[in-house]
């Protein structure tokens, strides 16, 4: 694909890092909370970035946007997180133009997810776009691209079985608990954190363990009470966390805190304890493993658990990729048309100016000159000429930038110089 540049020297990039090369500790350093995202968007605006969206989930932190050089976008991530340029260079990626577009399609449709077919990321992309638009940082290109990715995501979800079966980090965590804790229905389970993963895990625990001893704790108590009301569970104050940890047989930690909230100092255990940390950054200090009887499992381990469901999903990858190609082709056609439309319009104006000048000249020179007929004939000729040029520019084998430059030079219309 040709350069999708907003100006002569701006290109569309995707920069970031994900579970593919960055472990949970590094992803935690680069994660952006709500304030971090807001500050990043404000900085981008102040630094003259025209358009971008930023996503930060437990599996990835990425920017999709326009810049003269990718470092402008990498700098935004590093300066608004706890990650460094040096660390980014080791695990980060940079995609440009078509590769960047391809990457966003694969991320948004669950093909690049840590668990294949996980469609939760598309909601994050929608939210990211809305936030960028509020800052005036979402141009027509990005809006059209995000809508195309949303369209592909819906179509893949509806027309393939790539998301069939229950498999997610929350589901995998519950399956791990069931397989590794005897008599789980009678054990004390503590869920700390009621964000999206926490809520999903809680619902799966209730559904699959039939346990009536599940306690919820959240920094904001009313969020926990709202969830507990639906599922008929117990809620305790955040101040009671250390007490509830002593009672628990299983602890699921799924908070959005930037620093560990559970460590060995607050554990005074008299029985074995299984801790599942589903947080990014990690919210359980690894020093808890120094205590006898403590088993700590992180979400990265759970994400590696493959089963029949995931194997079945892989069979539907070709169908999903075919849908992506179809919708991506429509988008690419639109970007090409968007690029050469100003040149075609300027060419038409130039030819019309030549026509009007010539008709005026001939009407004065030729007796009984039929201006109406001459207007009809010349207008049709202009339409045919511009259609030929447009078809040439639409051709997949055409080097669009070079052709536009040639047309503008020959007809002296200079659109791209404006």
């Amino acid at each position: 694909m040709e350069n999708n540049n907003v100006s002569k020297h701006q290109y569309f990039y995707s920069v970031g890092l994900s579970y593919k090369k960055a472990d949970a500790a590094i992803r935690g350093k680069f994660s952006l909370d709500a304030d971090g995202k807001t500050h990043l968007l404000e900085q981008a605006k102040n630094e003259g970035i025209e358009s971008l969206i930023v996503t930060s989930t437990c599996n990835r932190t990425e920017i999709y946007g326009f810049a003269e050089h990718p470092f402008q976008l990498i700098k935004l991530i590093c300066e608004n997180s706890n990650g460094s340029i040096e660390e980014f260079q080791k695990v980060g990626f940079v995609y440009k133009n078509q590769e960047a577009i391809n990457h966003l399609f694969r991320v948004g449709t669950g093909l690049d997810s840590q668990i294949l077919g996980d469609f939760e990321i598309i909601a994050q992309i929608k939210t990211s776009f809305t936030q960028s638009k509020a800052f005036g940082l979402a141009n027509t290109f990005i809006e059209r691209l995000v809508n195309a990715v949303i369209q592909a995501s819906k179509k893949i979800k509806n027309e393939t079985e790539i998301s069939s079966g229950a498999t997610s980090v929350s589901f995998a965590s519950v399956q791990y608990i069931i397989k590794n804790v005897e008599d789980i229905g009678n054990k004390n389970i503590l869920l700390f954190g009621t964000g999206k993963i926490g809520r999903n895990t809680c619902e799966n625990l209730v559904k699959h363990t039939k346990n009536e001893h599940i306690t919820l704790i959240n920094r904001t108590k009313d969020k926990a009470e709202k969830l507990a009301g639906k599922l008929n569970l117990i809620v305790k104050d955040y101040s009671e966390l250390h007490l509830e940890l002593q009672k628990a047989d299983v602890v699921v930690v799924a908070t959005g805190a930037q620093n560990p909230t559970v460590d060995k100092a607050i554990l005074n255990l008299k029985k074995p304890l299984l801790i599942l940390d589903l947080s990014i950054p990690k919210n359980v200090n690894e020093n808890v493993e120094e205590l006898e009887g403590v088993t700590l499992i992180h979400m990265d381990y759970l994400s590696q658990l493959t089963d029949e469901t995931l194997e079945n999903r892989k069979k539907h990858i070709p169908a999903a990729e075919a849908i992506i190609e179809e919708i991506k082709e429509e988008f690419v056609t639109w970007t090409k048309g968007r690029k050469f439309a100003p040149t075609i319009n300027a060419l038409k104006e130039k030819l019309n100016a030549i026509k009007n000048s010539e008709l005026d000249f001939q009407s004065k020179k030729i007796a009984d000159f039929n201006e109406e007929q001459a207007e009809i004939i010349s207008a049709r000729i202009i339409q045919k000429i511009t259609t030929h040029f447009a078809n040439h520019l639409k051709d997949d084998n055409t080097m669009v930038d070079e052709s536009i430059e040639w047309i503008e030079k020959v007809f002296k219309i200079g659109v791209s110089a404006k």
Side-chain angles (χ1 to χ4, degrees):
M1 182 179 166
E2 305 302 320
N3 296 339
N4 291 303
N5 37 334
V6 175
S7 74
K8 275 287 185 185
H9 306 292
Q10 293 228 333
Y11 304 94
F12 182 63
Y13 289 103
S14 170
V15 305
L17 62 147
S18 73
Y19 68 94
K20 287 187 172 179
K21 287 182 72 176
D23 63 21
I26 292 294
R27 296 202 307 275
K29 282 189 176 183
F30 284 94
S31 69
L32 298 164
D33 57 16
D35 287 341
K37 282 187 187 179
T38 299
H39 293 150
L40 188 153
L41 293 171
E42 288 172 345
Q43 185 178 339
K45 189 78 174 174
N46 292 336
E47 292 182 1
I49 300 293
E50 177 175 341
S51 185
L52 61 73
I53 60 174
V54 55
T55 61
S56 188
T57 71
C58 54
N59 290 332
R60 65 185 72 248
T61 296
E62 300 181 0
I63 287 179
Y64 308 90
F66 287 93
E68 293 177 19
H69 191 280
F71 183 73
Q72 293 170 279
L73 305 179
I74 294 167
K75 184 169 75 80
L76 289 173
I77 293 177
C78 295
E79 291 182 358
N80 289 283
S81 70
N82 294 317
S84 68
I85 297 292
E86 291 74 24
E87 287 168 319
F88 185 93
Q89 287 173 329
K90 291 176 185 175
V91 298
F93 63 79
V94 174
Y95 299 123
K96 182 178 177 182
N97 290 334
Q98 186 61 58
E99 283 189 346
I101 292 167
N102 293 346
H103 181 66
L104 182 54
F105 267 99
R106 292 187 71 83
V107 169
T109 55
L111 293 188
D112 196 79
S113 296
Q114 193 164 21
I115 292 181
L116 178 66
D118 183 351
F119 280 93
E120 289 185 11
I121 186 65
I122 196 65
Q124 293 267 0
I125 291 170
K126 287 179 187 176
T127 302
S128 298
F129 172 76
T130 302
Q131 290 171 334
S132 290
K133 196 166 186 178
F135 276 86
L137 286 167
N139 65 7
T140 307
F141 177 96
I142 280 187
E143 183 164 11
R144 183 86 176 217
L145 176 57
V146 168
N147 285 335
V149 173
I150 292 169
Q151 183 188 352
S153 176
K154 283 181 182 174
K155 196 167 184 182
I156 288 170
K157 197 169 186 180
N158 293 334
E159 296 182 14
T160 77
E161 294 180 32
I162 202 163
S163 61
S164 62
T167 181
S168 63
V169 169
S170 56
F171 182 75
S173 64
V174 174
Q175 292 303 303
Y176 182 89
I177 292 168
I178 291 169
K179 288 176 185 175
N180 291 277
V181 180
E182 289 184 17
D183 193 25
I184 188 59
N186 293 311
K187 300 293 185 182
N188 293 324
I189 300 176
L190 171 63
L191 178 70
F192 177 34
T194 55
K196 191 162 189 176
I197 288 180
R199 291 196 306 272
N200 290 345
T201 303
C202 190
E203 288 167 2
N204 278 316
L205 281 168
V206 172
K207 181 179 177 181
H208 297 288
T209 67
K210 311 298 182 190
N211 189 299
E212 296 180 0
H213 312 280
I214 300 174
T215 300
L216 306 183
I217 292 180
N218 196 61
R219 287 175 187 274
T220 311
K221 191 177 181 182
D222 61 342
K223 287 185 180 179
E225 287 173 338
K226 197 173 180 181
L227 179 61
K230 288 182 187 175
L231 302 173
N232 195 27
L233 304 175
I234 303 161
V235 176
K236 295 286 186 177
D237 286 322
Y238 176 61
S239 60
E240 297 180 69
L241 176 63
H242 65 294
L243 296 174
E244 293 302 318
L245 285 167
Q246 319 317 320
K247 299 177 189 175
D249 298 292
V250 177
V251 177
V252 178
V253 181
T255 78
Q258 293 298 300
N259 297 299
T261 50
V262 176
D263 62 22
K264 72 174 186 178
I266 64 170
L267 296 180
N268 180 25
L269 303 180
K270 295 178 175 61
K271 56 182 177 178
L273 177 64
L274 170 62
I275 305 176
L276 279 72
D277 187 359
L278 309 185
S279 312
I280 291 289
K282 290 181 178 180
N283 257 231
V284 180
N285 194 316
E286 291 179 1
N287 66 16
V288 300
E289 294 185 281
E290 297 170 13
L291 299 173
E292 188 177 348
V294 173
T295 303
L296 173 62
I297 301 295
H298 192 261
M299 67 179 298
D300 275 7
Y301 173 78
L302 296 168
S303 297
Q304 293 166 8
L305 299 177
T306 56
D307 58 14
E308 284 183 33
T309 301
L310 282 175
E311 290 305 311
N312 286 334
R313 287 184 176 194
K314 288 177 184 176
K315 298 172 188 174
H316 302 284
I317 290 175
E321 288 177 334
I323 289 170
I324 289 173
E325 286 306 311
E326 174 195 338
I327 294 173
K328 192 167 64 181
E329 190 176 330
E330 292 173 7
F331 175 74
V332 169
T333 301
W334 173 80
T335 59
K336 277 192 172 185
R338 177 171 173 260
K339 178 178 285 188
F340 66 68
T343 300
I344 293 296
N345 289 334
L347 174 61
K348 191 175 283 188
E349 284 180 22
K350 184 66 179 260
L351 293 175
N352 274 314
I354 294 169
K355 175 203 72 174
N356 292 335
S357 175
E358 188 61 25
L359 290 185
D360 184 57
F361 174 76
Q362 295 298 340
S363 67
K364 293 172 182 175
K365 188 177 179 182
I366 301 172
D368 300 324
F369 179 71
N370 191 326
E371 193 168 345
E372 188 177 340
Q373 285 186 343
E375 175 71 39
I376 293 169
I377 293 166
S378 54
R380 281 178 61 81
I381 291 171
I382 288 171
Q383 183 61 39
K384 288 181 183 294
I385 291 170
T386 52
T387 298
H388 271 287
F389 276 109
N391 288 338
H392 165 74
L393 291 167
K394 286 177 186 175
D395 193 299
D396 288 340
N397 296 318
T398 297
M399 299 181 74
V400 177
D401 286 335
E402 288 81 352
S403 293
I404 286 174
E405 190 176 342
W406 180 83
I407 292 167
E408 292 175 359
K409 190 174 181 181
V410 169
F411 290 95
K412 295 184 172 60
I413 49 183
V415 174
S416 62
K418 292 179 184 177

